Amino acid sequence: MTTGVRRRMGVEERRQQLIDVALRLFSDRPPEDVSIDDIATAAGISRPLVYHYFPGKYSLYEAAVRRAADELSARFHVPHEGPFSLRLLLVMGRYFDFAEEHAPGFSALLRGGSVRSEAVVEEVRQAAYEQLLAHLELTDPGPRMSLVIRTWVGVAETTALSWLADRSIPRRELERQLVHDLLALAAVTAAFDEETAGVLRRVVEQEPADGPFAELVARLLALVPGRADGG
């Protein structure tokens, strides 16, 4: 007769297990509603052992948020090759991959819960902002161009969270819609800001005839009376 023996985890492996557990629990409930006992039970270990690896619940929460933030920030790094809209579509695919594959981490990250975790969320937003600037070949954008990008980052964040809660719209449609959203925001601002207009002209010059930008223009023109039939 044999008996099962539980394998003893190494220090780093146990830390990562606790972070995994924390991501799941904190994505369903705010930090104040999750106890150390909850974490210990979910991890299958004792309460004192949790404290052996983390000094408190919020230090574990912040470690979980930090890992989710690092992984999400990396999703904005794609090769600076090809038309901007196609690069952005690739970024959106990677962004939604993360949201879908790591839904607990994504939700826990964006939910916030402490001053330090909110700071981590802002780091992710800043990383996204800086990557978009790099793809647009901008180093010091004016206030209107900057606002376009920061507004869009918020739209992408809210859209992904809403999609996780209610997947009634196909994911690929939302990814393409977010590309259209950025182009639309830039186009509206370009009508009143020469810097944004210059950036948009440069982007349009590189766009393929069957790309997301051309699709958006065609759909918008179809809404204008007398234009759907070429009038």
Side-chain angles (χ1 to χ4, degrees), residues 84 88 136 138 144-149 151-152 178-201 203-204 213 216:
F84 173 76
L88 187 58
L136 290 169
L138 295 172
R144 290 181 183 272
M145 187 72 238
S146 179
L147 183 60
V148 165
I149 298 174
T151 298
W152 180 83
L178 282 166
V179 174
H180 290 157
D181 287 343
L182 180 55
L183 294 171
L185 282 168
V188 170
T189 303
F192 304 93
D193 179 60
E194 184 53 40
E195 179 199 25
T196 307
V199 172
L200 194 59
R201 291 189 195 100
V203 167
V204 171
F213 187 85
L216 175 62

Side-chain angles (χ1 to χ4, degrees), residues 28-148:
D28 294 330
R29 289 178 279 166
E32 58 269 20
D33 291 344
V34 177
S35 68
I36 288 294
D37 287 331
D38 291 333
I39 295 168
T41 298
I45 61 176
S46 67
R47 175 189 176 98
L49 193 54
V50 176
Y51 283 115
H52 177 73
Y53 291 97
F54 292 93
K57 177 177 67 176
Y58 284 98
S59 65
L60 177 53
Y61 174 78
E62 287 160 7
V65 167
R66 166 55 65 186
R67 191 175 77 179
D70 291 344
E71 292 182 13
L72 183 56
S73 295
R75 299 300 173 111
F76 288 91
H77 292 264
V78 298
H80 289 210
E81 302 171 355
F84 173 76
S85 65
L86 298 185
R87 281 185 254 166
L88 187 58
L89 192 59
L90 177 59
V91 168
M92 286 296 91
R94 288 163 57 84
Y95 188 78
F96 273 81
D97 280 344
F98 180 90
E100 186 168 24
E101 295 166 10
H102 307 283
F106 187 81
S107 299
L109 170 64
L110 297 181
R111 173 174 286 172
S114 71
V115 173
R116 275 188 281 184
S117 63
E118 288 290 347
V120 172
V121 173
E122 285 303 318
E123 287 179 22
V124 174
R125 292 170 180 151
Q126 183 64 23
Y129 171 78
E130 291 174 0
Q131 279 299 308
L132 286 170
L133 287 184
H135 281 289
L136 290 169
E137 299 177 11
L138 295 172
T139 56
D140 186 25
R144 290 181 183 272
M145 187 72 238
S146 179
L147 183 60
V148 165

Side-chain angles (χ1 to χ4, degrees), residues 153-202:
V153 169
V155 170
E157 181 181 299
T158 302
T159 299
L161 279 173
S162 298
W163 178 76
L164 285 175
D166 176 15
R167 306 189 186 199
S168 57
I169 301 176
R171 176 187 144 177
R172 297 303 179 191
E173 289 184 16
L174 284 181
E175 291 171 10
R176 201 167 185 88
Q177 179 180 312
L178 282 166
V179 174
H180 290 157
D181 287 343
L182 180 55
L183 294 171
L185 282 168
V188 170
T189 303
F192 304 93
D193 179 60
E194 184 53 40
E195 179 199 25
T196 307
V199 172
L200 194 59
R201 291 189 195 100
R202 178 160 47 81

